Amino acid sequence: SFRKSLNDDKTARMVQKVGLGPLDPEWESDQLQLSGTIYVARSRSENPEIKGQRMILHKIGVTSQDVARRVADAKNDPTFLLAPVEIVATFSLQNLSRSKVESLLHRFFAAARPAELFVTDRFGKKVFPKEWFYVLPEHVGQAAQLIEDGTLHFYEYNPSDQEIVLKKTK
C-alpha cells in the first residue's frame, strides 16, 4: 500500500500538520545558488556571409543546463544558424531570472543586431535568429557585471564605437 511504501522509503516525507516549515533544515542556507549561465557562442558555419563575420558575430544566450549540452545539437538548430558553435565565454548567474537576464542583454545590445541575418531551415523557410549580435565577448561580460551590480540602466551599447558608454543625461 501507499502507507507501507512511505514507511519503507527512508527519504519519503509526509506532511501531517501545516506550518512545520521546510522539510530540509538547510533549505534557507542554500538559497544563494547558481540560477544559470550566460554564454557567448561563435558560429563555425561555412556559409561565406557568416564565416566572414565570425570574429565579431556572437550569439548571446542564457541556460540553466550545462552549456556544452545546450549547444551539442547546434548544427540542427536554426537558433545556432544550423552550424556547430564554439563557446567563447561564460558568465554565472546567481539569484537572477534567466529569462529576464537574457531579455535585458538582448535589449541592451539590440542596436548591434544584424538586420538581415537568416538561415533557411530544412523546410525551406527563412528563420531570422534574434540572439546574434555584432559584439565582443568582453562586452557581454561587462554587461553581465552591470546587471549583477544593478547599474545596467545607466549605460548603453554604442555599436559604431563598439563600447559600453554611460547614457547622456537630458
Side-chain angles (χ1 to χ4, degrees):
S1 75
F2 180 67
R3 175 81 132 164
K4 184 176 181 327
S5 296
L6 280 176
N7 289 336
D8 291 344
D9 185 353
K10 299 297 178 208
T11 61
R13 301 284 189 265
M14 194 166 86
V15 178
Q16 295 178 331
K17 191 173 183 182
V18 178
L20 291 177
L23 297 175
D24 181 2
E26 294 165 14
W27 179 76
E28 300 247 348
S29 67
D30 68 345
Q31 279 188 321
L32 186 66
Q33 61 182 351
L34 180 69
S35 59
T37 305
I38 299 169
Y39 63 91
V40 181
R42 179 178 295 141
S43 179
R44 293 189 355 229
S45 173
E46 291 301 317
N47 179 327
E49 289 103 34
I50 295 169
K51 191 174 183 178
Q53 304 173 47
R54 185 175 289 164
M55 298 311 285
I56 188 70
L57 182 65
H58 293 96
K59 179 187 185 304
I60 301 171
V62 179
T63 185
S64 62
Q65 59 184 321
D66 178 58
V67 177
R69 187 177 190 176
R70 170 69 180 105
V71 303
D73 196 37
K75 68 181 182 290
N76 297 316
D77 189 342
T79 304
F80 291 99
L81 306 177
L82 297 170
V85 295
E86 68 177 297
I87 300 301
V88 293
T90 59
F91 310 97
S92 298
L93 290 177
Q94 294 209 333
N95 284 342
L96 295 170
S97 164
R98 290 182 299 275
S99 60
K100 287 181 181 177
V101 168
E102 186 171 50
S103 178
L104 267 173
L105 287 169
H106 291 177
R107 280 186 283 141
F108 186 75
F109 291 113
R113 182 179 283 132
E116 294 299 318
L117 179 66
F118 72 90
V119 292
T120 305
D121 69 9
R122 62 190 174 129
F123 302 109
K125 182 181 171 193
K126 283 186 178 179
V127 178
F128 295 86
K130 303 276 188 232
E131 299 180 349
W132 290 84
F133 303 88
Y134 293 121
V135 296
L136 296 174
E138 51 267 23
H139 295 147
V140 179
Q142 284 178 303
Q145 184 61 52
L146 292 171
I147 289 172
E148 193 174 306
D149 297 342
T151 59
L152 185 70
H153 61 285
F154 294 124
Y155 295 87
E156 61 188 357
Y157 184 69
N158 181 333
S160 57
D161 295 334
Q162 293 183 339
E163 63 183 357
I164 294 175
V165 295
L166 267 171
K167 287 182 179 176
K168 292 182 172 59
T169 55
K170 296 177 180 176

